[in-house]
Structures are given as C-alpha cells and as structure tokens.
Amino acid sequence: MINKPTISHFFYKKLGPILFFMLWMGCANDPKTTATPMIASPDSIHIGDSEVEIKRIRKDGLDIALTSKKDRLMSELQVDIKDSTQSKQYTTKLQLDGQIQDVHVTDLNNDGLKEVYIFNTSSGSGSYGDVIGYQLGKSGLDTILFSSADANADENYMGHDSFYIKYPYLYRKYPKYREIDPNCCPTGGTRNIAYKLIKQRGRLILKQTKL
C-alpha cells in the first residue's frame, strides 16, 4: 500500500527552510550566540519557476545571510549583514552569474572597518572567478571595486580561479594554459596575483601589487 503525502510532509518540504531562516535571523540578535567561521549547508526551495538558495555565515561578530534567486542564467543575490558588536544591519542586492564559493571577513587596510569578501565562480566550463567586496561603513555598505583586467590580459589565462586572503593582501590564483592545452589539463604552472586595498579618489579599490 502506498502512503499518500500528508499535509505536515508538504509543510516541512516547502515551508521548512523559510521558517528556519526566519528563526535564524531572530536568533542572530542574541549576543550569547556562538559565532562559527564556516558556510552552512544551503537550503534550497522552489518558488514558481525559480530556485531560491539561502546560505548563512557567522564570522568575526557578523551574521551574514546570502539569498540568491536563480532564474535562467543569472541570479539575484541579496546580502544581509548583521553586526552584533555594533547593533547595525546592512542590506544590498546585485545580479550574480555562477556560484558563491567562499566568504571572508577581514580588515585589509587596517582602518578599523570590517570588510566582507564574497568569492564567486561563473557558470560554464571556464569557471571564471570574481570578487564581490563591501566595507561596513558608518552610513552603509561601501562597494570595493575589483577588476579582472590583469588576468584577462594574460594569454595563459582560461579561468579556474581561486581566491584567498593572506593579510594584508587578497590573492588570486589560477592555472596557466599553454596554447595546446585542453580545458581539463593546464601544463603551464600557476600564477598568483596579489591585491592591496587602497582608497583612490574616494573609492575603495583592490589594486594589483607587485611583491
């Protein structure tokens, strides 16, 4: 005999992740909550033809929720940040191509203001990397500009980036392809590019730096 799905099963399947997210947002205000430096397993739900994915991160006094609504090739990403040390909350939205790989919280320019760096990898076989950065300013989120022009100018560059932070620099690492290399098998070694966070004409920029 085949058991039919019950109403409680439907409620848990469809609404469970949403209620869990709302409960988490409420608990984030509790100063006794222990911060854990990791990306939690995402919750995915379907609303109409779109898939909504929620990732939660707690690092260095920040509670971060990344909510992406996937629709065809692009996703709309909403970033919610709660700073439990200063009782502040920040929200922003942007268009995103690909998948979020990692999130880091640091202060690369040592000005006392926290920065959030979201490492993103594009869809497709190239897996081209990008950095989405924000500084938690006194009046809101300040965007940190990042350019891939230096990597794109490298004739050996074909994507497959990874990023890491080694204070006070942010590093981009990617394999170098020779002309005859297939996409799966680069043979030219690797290249590391260091970026330093500077302020130029009133804007925050990750600028390539020679070490």
Side-chain angles (χ1 to χ4, degrees):
M1 179 177 179
I2 299 176
N3 294 325
K4 295 182 179 180
T6 63
I7 293 177
S8 59
H9 178 271
F10 174 81
F11 180 84
Y12 175 82
K13 186 73 173 180
K14 296 295 183 182
L15 300 182
I18 297 178
L19 295 179
F20 182 82
F21 172 65
M22 294 172 64
L23 178 63
W24 173 84
M25 291 295 286
C27 292
N29 291 322
D30 185 356
K32 297 180 182 179
T33 302
T34 303
T36 304
M38 63 177 291
I39 295 183
S41 299
D43 294 317
S44 295
I45 59 176
H46 289 271
I47 300 178
D49 295 330
S50 300
E51 181 181 357
V52 177
E53 185 176 85
I54 303 168
K55 293 184 179 181
R56 305 169 185 83
I57 307 99
R58 293 183 178 180
K59 288 187 177 183
D60 300 332
L62 298 184
D63 297 304
I64 306 170
L66 305 176
T67 306
S68 58
K69 181 180 179 182
K70 299 179 182 179
D71 188 4
R72 297 180 181 178
L73 296 179
M74 299 295 291
S75 299
E76 181 183 81
L77 177 66
Q78 177 170 316
V79 182
D80 295 291
I81 304 172
K82 287 186 177 182
D83 189 344
S84 60
T85 63
Q86 299 185 22
S87 300
K88 290 185 178 181
Q89 184 168 339
Y90 308 83
T91 299
T92 189
K93 292 183 179 181
L94 66 150
Q95 293 295 311
L96 184 72
D97 171 28
Q99 298 289 328
I100 295 169
Q101 299 300 325
D102 204 356
V103 178
H104 283 264
V105 178
T106 186
D107 180 10
L108 292 181
N109 59 356
N110 197 30
D111 64 354
L113 299 175
K114 295 178 181 178
E115 302 136 20
V116 176
Y117 295 97
I118 303 170
F119 300 156
N120 178 65
T121 301
S122 68
S123 303
S125 60
S127 300
Y128 293 93
D130 193 16
V131 176
I132 303 164
Y134 299 103
Q135 186 180 74
L136 278 60
K138 296 180 180 179
S139 58
L141 288 177
D142 296 322
T143 301
I144 298 173
L145 302 179
F146 177 79
S147 174
S148 295
D150 44 13
N152 292 336
D154 185 351
E155 62 181 10
N156 302 119
Y157 174 69
M158 291 181 61
H160 305 284
D161 312 65
S162 60
F163 298 93
Y164 61 97
I165 289 176
K166 188 175 180 181
Y167 188 83
Y169 303 105
L170 182 149
Y171 287 85
R172 167 187 233 144
K173 180 180 179 180
Y174 61 85
K176 297 174 67 175
Y177 283 80
R178 293 191 172 98
E179 187 175 354
I180 61 173
D181 288 345
N183 187 56
C184 68
C185 310
T187 61
T190 59
R191 182 186 181 191
N192 289 272
I193 303 176
Y195 298 87
K196 184 177 182 180
L197 182 62
I198 64 170
K199 200 161 190 176
Q200 184 173 308
R201 298 180 181 177
R203 308 182 75 178
L204 291 166
I205 301 173
L206 284 167
K207 187 175 182 180
Q208 182 180 353
T209 302
K210 293 183 178 180
L211 300 180

